[in-house]
Amino acid sequence: MKKVWKMFFAAMFALLMSIPTFAAGRLSVQIGNFTSFKETPNGVLISADNAKLSLTVYGPEVVRVRATQGDFSDLPSYAVIGQPTGKFTSVKDESDKLVLSTGELTVEVNKNPIIVRFYNKDGKLLNEDEKGLGISWLGTGTTCYKKLQPDERFIGLGEKTGNLDRRGSAYEDWNTDHYGYPDNADPLYTSLPFYIGLHNNLSYGIFFDNTYKATFNFGASNNRFSSFGAVDGEMNYYFFGGNSVAELLKEYTGLTGRMKMPPMWGLGFQQCRWSYFPDTEVLNLARTFREKKIPADVIYLDIHYMDAYKVFTWNKERFPNPSAMIDSLKDMGFHVVTIVDPGVKKEKGYRAYESGLKNDCFVKYPDGINWAADVWPGTCNFPDFTNPKVRTWWGDLYKGLVSDGVTGFWNDMNEPASWGNMVPNLVEFDMEGHKGTMEEAHNIYGMQMARSTYEGAAKLMNGKRPLVLTRAAYAGVQRYSAIWTGDNVASDDHMLLASRLINSMGLAGVPFVGADIGGFTGKTTPDLFARWLSIATYTPFFRSHSEYNSRAHEPWTFGEDVEAISRKYINERYQMLPYIYSAFDEAHETGMPIARSLAINYTFDKNIYNPDFQDEYLFGPSILVAPVSSKQMFERVYLPEGSWYRKSTGKKYDGGQSVIVDAPLSDLPVFVKASAIIPMQSTVQNTAQKGDGILRLHIYSGSRPNKYLYYEDDGTTYQYQDGHFLRREFVFDPAAKKITIGKAEGNYTSKFNKIEIVLHGFDGMNSVKVGRKTMNLQKGEGNTQTLTLDAGKGETVLSW
Ligand code: MIG
């Protein structure tokens, strides 16, 4: 061959070789067909074409489903405290499916392809993977697709805007500092990835325990599937088969934990602003509450109490003697809560920073340099709360504040937030020794901060209960902290949205929640403040707060009318404390929220999902609250089945219908369920006051029997865990014409020495028999009749 040709071919060859080759586009991968399975100590492990699937029994109605294309992670869950228990009592390997049963729940695993289906004891289908999609992967991302059932509704998922019924909506979990969020914003501050599906009078729950950025689709832009997935990590979810919402909440909180009893003072009225200073202003504020006889328990110190915003310091000019100030506040019956952010200022000689450096406590870039970002104090480093050693270090930093007398700790900015709100995802975390990046740690950062705060404070406080409040959170946070709904807006829409956010967090296992009364940002009006405060009276966490430079938000700053309305409602809050505290006991024992979406008790009544009524909820077992805009002086209220009494007037209504009622700012529509039993007390100015020693047992006439479990303890220590509590059952049995005050259990002595029975709607009744003795009823307030008894510890039966 001629040399020229040779060169020509060589050149062509080189050219050909230099043309890049292209990989095929990346498509999703499904789990594929079944290949084999084996039994494990608490379940089964299944091999499929493209992944492994494991099913583990955590209880008769709780099954964990995991799938991975690689190896299963051994990182312990931050949310779950439950353990696998029991196993499938029957395992059948059929030609086309595996049939696994716990006795309560049956899991069917279709083989070709793998489709997981859940059936209840009666053989009714609760939930099934969508055939053809099932469990899928797209790159590192994994999603589980579930077939939409006819008329399926979805509730829960925590702090999410939108409707009570989430059908047709999609959401993302990625904890976000969203200042002044619009009333349709998503994501917000917390990730509580538990939701409940409802269809055909059936219910089930799904908890997707994956801390990466996650998405949930409840049939948004499609009518084929609901789905949950995350950008990385395992497909890892728990399926709950409880046959009522209450049962599901019990199972979910059995797995992720329940709240401890809060300090009683944390249920009182709490006054916050950004920021009260100096000390003289704080003391004046406290005095004004007392002078004006507006009950209150807590004053908050926002970021200005610190020296140049440095956590665990005091500004010595504004607060020259913090412990003396706190002592004076204590004398007036106030507790102090201080804000503590995660950012630790990089400053030579600053103690928290130096000790953090020395103990190697901060989050790092992969090259070992501490990640730094700007927040209030300037450039900060951030503690790695996924490291147990760091959690202990941080917890111990509260020593100074605790010895100054601070009893509550408010963890803000822990999404984590920083100016710019763009945290580099490659920064590294310990993750309990497993190592990981911000992608995995982000959604649990706030929760682990709250945990470290709670554990540290509880250890330092000599057996007293601290109050911990957090903005960011993940599932399981209820074990450590209360949550407030962040930087809301002074608007009617936001006020109404707050009810849905609070109720939805209750549906995701977090009972101790509240929103800034009056709105954090924007200009609240007197009407809006009054209305908001009246609604918040019936929310678990009861705090007024507003931002820097906003108009004053103390109840007396809006004129006499609003002051009087505020006093009336705050008084009522304090009167209801025995009822509220017993509801907290129920949350502590069963996971039942305090603010209860009507979806808990009236799950399959379609009216409660009507956008006109979806903000309504029960506060405790028997008080129905209908939030109303401050611009509206009447309201159409839906009353579910049964009979109801308007709390303020005693007027009786039949349920199962909507009614139009007056709703002036001084009288929020609040109703009491017929047959309700509501323990109340006299008005006190703070929760530590004893009052008149009379427990007032309000009983509302009705045709159904009712049982109420009353709870009391010292309100401040953990001694209730050693039997120092009082529990007694109150029973109203209308058919037998009997009210029973059960025997007191536990070895705590009630602060009430008398019980006054207050009968509502028992017209024409003049006397009752107490044991065998006939006693006359007294005329009480409104349309009531009363009888006062010694509280005693034994059983007392009233009959007529
Ligand atoms: O960048 O501490 O949500 O309640 O008052 C704002 C100041 C930081 C945000 C919190 C808010 C608090 C404020 N904080």
Short mmCIF file of all heavy atoms in Angstrom, two decimals, residues 709-735:
data_model
loop_
_atom_site.label_atom_id
_atom_site.label_comp_id
_atom_site.label_asym_id
_atom_site.label_seq_id
_atom_site.Cartn_x
_atom_site.Cartn_y
_atom_site.Cartn_z
N LEU A 709 -60.77 9.43 81.89
CA LEU A 709 -59.66 9.06 82.76
C LEU A 709 -58.94 10.33 83.20
O LEU A 709 -58.30 11.01 82.41
CB LEU A 709 -58.71 8.13 82.01
CG LEU A 709 -57.69 7.41 82.88
CD1 LEU A 709 -58.37 6.61 83.99
CD2 LEU A 709 -56.83 6.48 82.03
N TYR A 710 -59.10 10.64 84.47
CA TYR A 710 -58.52 11.85 85.04
C TYR A 710 -57.11 11.55 85.53
O TYR A 710 -56.84 10.48 86.09
CB TYR A 710 -59.39 12.34 86.20
CG TYR A 710 -58.78 13.48 86.96
CD1 TYR A 710 -58.80 14.76 86.43
CD2 TYR A 710 -58.16 13.27 88.20
CE1 TYR A 710 -58.22 15.82 87.11
CE2 TYR A 710 -57.58 14.33 88.88
CZ TYR A 710 -57.61 15.59 88.34
OH TYR A 710 -57.03 16.63 89.01
N TYR A 711 -56.22 12.52 85.32
CA TYR A 711 -54.82 12.32 85.70
C TYR A 711 -54.26 13.55 86.40
O TYR A 711 -54.55 14.68 86.02
CB TYR A 711 -53.97 12.03 84.46
CG TYR A 711 -52.50 11.85 84.78
CD1 TYR A 711 -52.02 10.62 85.19
CD2 TYR A 711 -51.62 12.93 84.70
CE1 TYR A 711 -50.68 10.45 85.51
CE2 TYR A 711 -50.27 12.77 85.02
CZ TYR A 711 -49.82 11.52 85.42
OH TYR A 711 -48.50 11.36 85.74
N GLU A 712 -53.44 13.30 87.39
CA GLU A 712 -52.79 14.39 88.11
C GLU A 712 -51.44 13.89 88.63
O GLU A 712 -51.30 12.72 88.98
CB GLU A 712 -53.70 14.79 89.29
CG GLU A 712 -53.45 16.17 89.85
CD GLU A 712 -54.38 16.46 91.06
OE1 GLU A 712 -55.52 15.96 91.09
OE2 GLU A 712 -53.90 17.15 91.97
N ASP A 713 -50.48 14.78 88.64
CA ASP A 713 -49.22 14.47 89.34
C ASP A 713 -48.63 15.79 89.80
O ASP A 713 -49.31 16.81 89.72
CB ASP A 713 -48.26 13.64 88.46
CG ASP A 713 -47.79 14.40 87.23
OD1 ASP A 713 -47.83 15.64 87.23
OD2 ASP A 713 -47.37 13.75 86.25
N ASP A 714 -47.38 15.78 90.25
CA ASP A 714 -46.84 17.03 90.81
C ASP A 714 -46.56 18.09 89.74
O ASP A 714 -46.25 19.23 90.06
CB ASP A 714 -45.61 16.75 91.69
CG ASP A 714 -44.43 16.20 90.87
OD1 ASP A 714 -44.35 16.45 89.66
OD2 ASP A 714 -43.58 15.52 91.48
N GLY A 715 -46.61 17.71 88.47
CA GLY A 715 -46.48 18.69 87.39
C GLY A 715 -45.06 19.17 87.13
O GLY A 715 -44.85 19.95 86.19
N THR A 716 -44.11 18.74 87.91
CA THR A 716 -42.76 19.28 87.72
C THR A 716 -41.64 18.23 87.70
O THR A 716 -40.59 18.49 87.16
CB THR A 716 -42.38 20.30 88.83
OG1 THR A 716 -42.53 19.65 90.09
CG2 THR A 716 -43.27 21.52 88.77
N THR A 717 -41.86 17.07 88.31
CA THR A 717 -40.77 16.10 88.40
C THR A 717 -41.09 14.84 87.58
O THR A 717 -42.15 14.73 86.98
CB THR A 717 -40.50 15.65 89.85
OG1 THR A 717 -41.54 14.75 90.25
CG2 THR A 717 -40.45 16.84 90.80
N TYR A 718 -40.17 13.91 87.62
CA TYR A 718 -40.37 12.62 86.93
C TYR A 718 -40.86 11.54 87.90
O TYR A 718 -40.88 10.36 87.55
CB TYR A 718 -39.08 12.18 86.24
CG TYR A 718 -38.76 13.06 85.06
CD1 TYR A 718 -37.82 14.09 85.17
CD2 TYR A 718 -39.41 12.88 83.84
CE1 TYR A 718 -37.55 14.92 84.09
CE2 TYR A 718 -39.15 13.71 82.77
CZ TYR A 718 -38.21 14.73 82.90
OH TYR A 718 -37.95 15.53 81.83
N GLN A 719 -41.25 11.97 89.11
CA GLN A 719 -41.66 10.95 90.09
C GLN A 719 -42.90 10.18 89.65
O GLN A 719 -43.16 9.10 90.18
CB GLN A 719 -41.88 11.60 91.45
CG GLN A 719 -40.56 12.02 92.09
CD GLN A 719 -40.78 12.69 93.44
OE1 GLN A 719 -41.77 12.43 94.10
NE2 GLN A 719 -39.85 13.55 93.83
N TYR A 720 -43.64 10.75 88.70
CA TYR A 720 -44.81 10.00 88.21
C TYR A 720 -44.38 8.66 87.62
O TYR A 720 -45.16 7.71 87.61
CB TYR A 720 -45.60 10.82 87.17
CG TYR A 720 -44.89 11.06 85.86
CD1 TYR A 720 -45.07 10.20 84.78
CD2 TYR A 720 -44.05 12.16 85.69
CE1 TYR A 720 -44.42 10.43 83.56
CE2 TYR A 720 -43.41 12.39 84.49
CZ TYR A 720 -43.59 11.52 83.42
OH TYR A 720 -42.96 11.75 82.23
N GLN A 721 -43.13 8.59 87.17
CA GLN A 721 -42.65 7.32 86.62
C GLN A 721 -42.48 6.26 87.70
O GLN A 721 -42.36 5.08 87.40
CB GLN A 721 -41.33 7.54 85.87
CG GLN A 721 -41.51 8.40 84.63
CD GLN A 721 -40.21 8.82 83.97
OE1 GLN A 721 -39.15 8.82 84.60
NE2 GLN A 721 -40.28 9.21 82.70
N ASP A 722 -42.45 6.70 88.96
CA ASP A 722 -42.34 5.75 90.07
C ASP A 722 -43.64 5.67 90.86
O ASP A 722 -43.62 5.43 92.07
CB ASP A 722 -41.20 6.17 91.01
CG ASP A 722 -39.92 6.41 90.27
OD1 ASP A 722 -39.59 5.60 89.40
OD2 ASP A 722 -39.26 7.45 90.53
N GLY A 723 -44.74 5.91 90.21
CA GLY A 723 -46.03 5.71 90.87
C GLY A 723 -46.61 6.94 91.55
O GLY A 723 -47.71 6.89 92.11
N HIS A 724 -45.88 8.07 91.53
CA HIS A 724 -46.42 9.27 92.17
C HIS A 724 -47.35 10.03 91.24
O HIS A 724 -47.01 11.09 90.71
CB HIS A 724 -45.29 10.18 92.67
CG HIS A 724 -44.51 9.57 93.77
ND1 HIS A 724 -44.93 9.60 95.08
CD2 HIS A 724 -43.37 8.85 93.74
CE1 HIS A 724 -44.07 8.95 95.83
NE2 HIS A 724 -43.10 8.47 95.04
N PHE A 725 -48.48 9.42 90.98
CA PHE A 725 -49.51 10.07 90.16
C PHE A 725 -50.84 9.67 90.74
O PHE A 725 -50.92 8.81 91.64
CB PHE A 725 -49.41 9.62 88.70
CG PHE A 725 -49.58 8.14 88.53
CD1 PHE A 725 -50.86 7.57 88.53
CD2 PHE A 725 -48.48 7.31 88.39
CE1 PHE A 725 -51.02 6.20 88.40
CE2 PHE A 725 -48.64 5.93 88.26
CZ PHE A 725 -49.91 5.38 88.27
N LEU A 726 -51.86 10.35 90.26
CA LEU A 726 -53.22 9.97 90.65
C LEU A 726 -54.02 9.80 89.37
O LEU A 726 -54.00 10.66 88.50
CB LEU A 726 -53.82 11.09 91.51
CG LEU A 726 -55.28 10.91 91.97
CD1 LEU A 726 -55.47 11.61 93.30
CD2 LEU A 726 -56.27 11.45 90.96
N ARG A 727 -54.64 8.65 89.26
CA ARG A 727 -55.48 8.42 88.10
C ARG A 727 -56.83 7.94 88.62
O ARG A 727 -56.88 7.08 89.49
CB ARG A 727 -54.85 7.35 87.22
CG ARG A 727 -54.96 7.66 85.77
CD ARG A 727 -54.30 6.64 84.87
NE ARG A 727 -53.24 7.27 84.12
CZ ARG A 727 -51.98 6.86 84.11
NH1 ARG A 727 -51.61 5.81 84.78
NH2 ARG A 727 -51.08 7.51 83.40
N ARG A 728 -57.88 8.51 88.12
CA ARG A 728 -59.18 7.97 88.51
C ARG A 728 -60.17 8.12 87.39
O ARG A 728 -60.12 9.06 86.62
CB ARG A 728 -59.66 8.55 89.85
CG ARG A 728 -60.19 9.94 89.86
CD ARG A 728 -60.30 10.52 91.27
NE ARG A 728 -61.11 9.73 92.19
CZ ARG A 728 -61.35 10.08 93.47
NH1 ARG A 728 -60.84 11.19 93.98
NH2 ARG A 728 -62.08 9.34 94.26
N GLU A 729 -61.04 7.14 87.34
CA GLU A 729 -61.99 7.12 86.25
C GLU A 729 -63.28 7.78 86.69
O GLU A 729 -63.77 7.52 87.79
CB GLU A 729 -62.25 5.66 85.88
CG GLU A 729 -62.83 5.49 84.51
CD GLU A 729 -62.88 4.01 84.13
OE1 GLU A 729 -63.60 3.24 84.78
OE2 GLU A 729 -62.19 3.64 83.17
N PHE A 730 -63.82 8.63 85.83
CA PHE A 730 -65.14 9.19 86.05
C PHE A 730 -66.06 8.56 85.01
O PHE A 730 -65.72 8.54 83.82
CB PHE A 730 -65.13 10.71 85.86
CG PHE A 730 -64.19 11.43 86.80
CD1 PHE A 730 -63.35 12.44 86.32
CD2 PHE A 730 -64.14 11.12 88.16
CE1 PHE A 730 -62.49 13.11 87.18
CE2 PHE A 730 -63.28 11.79 89.02
CZ PHE A 730 -62.45 12.80 88.53
N VAL A 731 -67.19 8.03 85.46
CA VAL A 731 -68.08 7.37 84.52
C VAL A 731 -69.46 7.99 84.61
O VAL A 731 -70.01 8.17 85.70
CB VAL A 731 -68.19 5.85 84.83
CG1 VAL A 731 -69.06 5.16 83.79
CG2 VAL A 731 -66.80 5.22 84.88
N PHE A 732 -70.01 8.31 83.45
CA PHE A 732 -71.38 8.80 83.37
C PHE A 732 -72.19 7.73 82.64
O PHE A 732 -71.90 7.42 81.49
CB PHE A 732 -71.40 10.14 82.64
CG PHE A 732 -72.78 10.63 82.29
CD1 PHE A 732 -73.85 10.52 83.19
CD2 PHE A 732 -73.01 11.23 81.06
CE1 PHE A 732 -75.12 10.98 82.86
CE2 PHE A 732 -74.28 11.70 80.72
CZ PHE A 732 -75.34 11.57 81.63
N ASP A 733 -73.16 7.17 83.35
CA ASP A 733 -73.97 6.12 82.73
C ASP A 733 -75.44 6.57 82.73
O ASP A 733 -76.16 6.39 83.72
CB ASP A 733 -73.79 4.82 83.54
CG ASP A 733 -74.51 3.66 82.88
OD1 ASP A 733 -75.39 3.90 82.03
OD2 ASP A 733 -74.19 2.51 83.23
N PRO A 734 -75.88 7.19 81.64
CA PRO A 734 -77.23 7.77 81.64
C PRO A 734 -78.33 6.71 81.75
O PRO A 734 -79.35 6.97 82.38
CB PRO A 734 -77.33 8.50 80.29
CG PRO A 734 -76.14 8.11 79.50
CD PRO A 734 -75.16 7.43 80.40
N ALA A 735 -78.11 5.53 81.19
CA ALA A 735 -79.15 4.50 81.26
C ALA A 735 -79.35 4.05 82.70
O ALA A 735 -80.49 3.94 83.18
CB ALA A 735 -78.78 3.32 80.37
#
